[in-house]
Amino acid sequence: QVQLVESGGGLVQAGGSLRLSCAASGRTFSSYTMGWFRQAPGKEREFVASMLWSDTYTDYTDSVKGRFTISRDNAKNTVYLQLNSLKPEDTAVYYCAASPIRAWGRRLERSEYEYWGQGTQVTVSS
């Protein structure tokens, strides 16, 4: 049974940092694309960042480039999202997702992600 479990969310002041973790289990993810999405109240879930589990290719939405970094620890089967220089508009529930499609050179659609975590709340105060 595949499980993605996020952690690391919380309340932080503007300009602060958080590191989100996504612990993956239940299968081998070496050929998967791992993504982070977020959903603010009253808005649709949106793409934040993605990476290939077995490669260095990464992709970010424009609003987080230079502030967020996606990475992985193969030994721990965990994907991270480092959030720096946080802004109030980054407030959302952040979700980890996994897709069996290798997103080399293109951004996967939300519907192409097969597995999702339960989400972790990030709140940035001004």
Side-chain angles (χ1 to χ4, degrees):
Q1 180 182 359
V2 174
Q3 277 195 315
L4 302 176
V5 180
E6 302 99 331
S7 61
L11 173 65
V12 63
Q13 289 187 332
S17 298
L18 285 173
R19 188 177 78 159
L20 307 183
S21 299
C22 172
S25 62
R27 68 161 300 121
T28 301
F29 290 92
S30 58
S31 62
Y32 273 55
T33 297
M34 303 300 294
W36 284 95
F37 289 74
R38 65 187 179 185
Q39 187 167 16
K43 295 187 177 181
E44 289 194 357
R45 192 171 299 187
E46 65 173 358
F47 170 82
V48 176
S50 67
M51 69 180 301
L52 299 179
W53 193 281
S54 60
D55 203 280
T56 58
Y57 178 79
T58 56
D59 183 23
Y60 299 91
T61 192
D62 286 347
S63 63
V64 308
K65 283 181 180 177
R67 300 189 299 122
F68 292 6
T69 303
I70 188 171
S71 63
R72 68 183 183 276
D73 184 328
N74 291 337
K76 295 182 179 180
N77 231 31
T78 299
V79 176
Y80 302 99
L81 186 67
Q82 178 69 40
L83 289 62
N84 295 331
S85 302
L86 282 161
K87 305 175 181 180
E89 51 264 42
D90 294 318
T91 295
V93 177
Y94 283 71
Y95 296 91
C96 176
S99 171
I101 304 170
R102 287 176 61 84
W104 182 261
R106 75 173 181 95
R107 183 173 294 174
L108 298 183
E109 298 293 328
R110 189 175 64 192
S111 61
E112 294 179 291
Y113 284 86
E114 186 170 340
Y115 303 106
W116 292 84
Q118 82 289 350
T120 185
Q121 176 71 46
V122 172
T123 304
V124 185
S125 63
S126 57

